[in-house]
């Protein structure tokens, strides 16, 4: 049978699959990174529900917590978020009483972002919870393996 005919031939009736062969997919970095991300997010979402935080909310608030005065431009660059998407997100966080916008001390065009006292308290609890979630999901990795995995993943997505 020629190759073109093989591609268009109907599969034999009644064929079933026993064990699924995912060997090819499992050889792809993207597939494995996505599966790992899904495992993390699957545990992260219920854990952060108590704080009413989505992963992007958590990321933004964590960066503001650890970088008081960070600008929207810096947040967008660090997280790979488009500016229009961040504007609405910051507005929501501000309405929740978690973030304050203040004039930037050196750039009149920019706004410096800070957490409120409520935002800082919430994020301290949320970060402790996130650390516990991460430890539980990655419990099959040794600390050295976890550091290596993070280092290797960063090599994939950073331009360095």
């Amino acid at each position: 049978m020629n190759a073109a005919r093989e591609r268009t031939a109907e599969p034999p009736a009644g064929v079933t699959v026993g064990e699924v062969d995912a060997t090819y997919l499992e050889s792809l970095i993207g597939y494995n990174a996505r599966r790992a991300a899904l495992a993390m997010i699957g545990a992260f979402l219920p854990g952060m529900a108590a704080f009413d935080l989505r992963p992007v909310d958590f990321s933004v608030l964590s960066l503001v917590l650890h970088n008081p005065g960070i600008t929207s431009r810096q947040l967008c660059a660090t997280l790979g978020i488009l500016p229009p998407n961040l504007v609405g997100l910051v507005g929501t966080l501000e309405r929740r009483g978690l973030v304050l916008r203040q004039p930037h001390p050196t750039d009149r065009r920019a706004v410096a972002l800070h957490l409120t006292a409520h935002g800082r308290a919430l994020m301290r609890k949320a970060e402790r919870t996130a650390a516990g979630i991460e430890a539980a999901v990655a419990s099959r990795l040794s600390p050295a393996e976890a550091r290596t995995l993070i280092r290797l993943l960063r090599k994939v997505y950073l331009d360095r």
Side-chain angles (χ1 to χ4, degrees), residues 24-140:
Y24 175 74
L25 288 175
E26 291 169 353
S27 74
L28 300 174
I29 293 169
Y31 175 81
N32 286 288
R34 178 73 174 147
R35 291 294 305 265
L38 288 172
M40 286 291 178
I41 290 170
F44 188 84
L45 290 176
M48 289 298 117
F51 306 102
D52 193 22
L53 295 177
R54 300 170 301 152
V56 68
D57 303 327
F58 177 85
S59 297
V60 167
L61 290 171
S62 181
L63 285 173
V64 176
L65 174 66
H66 296 285
N67 302 276
I70 192 169
T71 66
S72 294
R73 181 179 306 198
Q74 290 171 309
L75 282 171
C76 287
T78 302
L79 296 175
I81 298 174
L82 294 173
N85 296 337
L86 185 66
V87 170
L89 174 60
V90 170
T92 300
L93 296 172
E94 188 175 34
R95 284 188 295 281
R96 286 183 59 192
L98 302 173
V99 172
L100 291 172
R101 299 179 209 227
Q102 298 179 338
H104 193 277
T106 60
D107 184 350
R108 282 192 258 144
R109 297 167 297 166
V111 174
L113 300 173
H114 297 270
L115 293 189
T116 63
H118 174 59
R120 285 189 301 277
L122 180 127
M123 279 310 293
R124 286 194 178 91
K125 292 176 193 170
E127 284 188 344
R128 280 194 302 273
T129 299
I133 292 167
E134 185 129 326
V137 173
S139 64
R140 287 178 268 171

